[in-house]
Amino acid sequence: MEQVGAVRDLVLGHVDALKAVDEAMRAAIPSLERLADVLGLARSRRINRGGHISTYSYTVHRAGCRFVSDNDNDTEVDVDVDFAVDGSEIFDLWRLRWYGLSLPELLDVTDQGLRTAVRSLQPLLTEVRPGWFSVAH
């Protein structure tokens, strides 16, 4: 049985990692108003669909972007996010699970454990469509 606290910490870690990615990308690309603008920059070819910015490598995909951060201990933390039509950052259980598996002390969790953790974090997190979540603003 998974410890609810550890799974909650994983979800909160993902939220914090998204904030860190947002801050690093905005510092590196001053024209970014929000992280979702990376999609437009890549589609207009003002940046490559993949590359390295600040301490992150990134890969733009259909509806979002995957960011990989280098850590001091030679591990890479993987943060994948999609963007809603309004530009808000959204993620599903798969992305949370993948993040947990990329941590230096990997945490392999079940979907049920993640659902329980996400529900316990309302109203910080909002379910924007079934199985997809966003940080409330």
Side-chain angles (χ1 to χ4, degrees):
M1 179 109 186
E2 297 164 336
Q3 293 186 341
V4 175
V7 182
R8 274 178 58 111
D9 288 347
L10 179 147
V11 174
L12 290 171
H14 187 268
V15 169
D16 288 343
L18 276 174
K19 288 179 189 175
V21 166
D22 182 53
E23 289 172 8
M25 295 300 283
R26 285 185 200 218
I29 307 172
S31 64
L32 279 184
E33 291 183 28
R34 58 189 180 174
L35 192 55
D37 293 341
V38 168
L39 291 180
L41 291 173
R43 289 178 181 150
S44 66
R45 298 177 189 215
R46 288 184 280 174
I47 64 171
N48 292 325
R49 294 187 69 81
H52 198 85
I53 295 178
S54 183
T55 60
Y56 295 93
S57 60
Y58 71 93
T59 306
V60 173
H61 52 74
R62 190 174 136 179
C65 196
R66 176 180 178 228
F67 299 93
V68 179
S69 170
D70 295 328
N71 281 337
D72 294 336
N73 57 357
D74 295 328
T75 61
E76 299 175 333
V77 176
D78 193 309
V79 180
D80 196 320
V81 63
D82 276 8
F83 301 105
V85 174
D86 68 358
S88 60
E89 300 153 1
I90 60 174
F91 48 89
D92 61 356
L93 300 179
W94 180 86
R95 283 165 177 75
L96 290 171
R97 188 161 192 252
W98 194 252
Y99 169 77
L101 291 172
S102 75
L103 294 173
E105 292 184 28
L106 72 92
L107 183 57
D108 190 4
V109 295
T110 64
D111 284 355
Q112 184 57 46
L114 286 168
R115 274 190 207 93
T116 300
V118 168
R119 286 188 186 118
S120 76
L121 291 168
Q122 292 175 346
L124 170 67
L125 299 179
T126 303
E127 191 165 9
V128 294
R129 64 179 187 246
W132 285 84
F133 307 93
S134 180
V135 178
H137 295 284

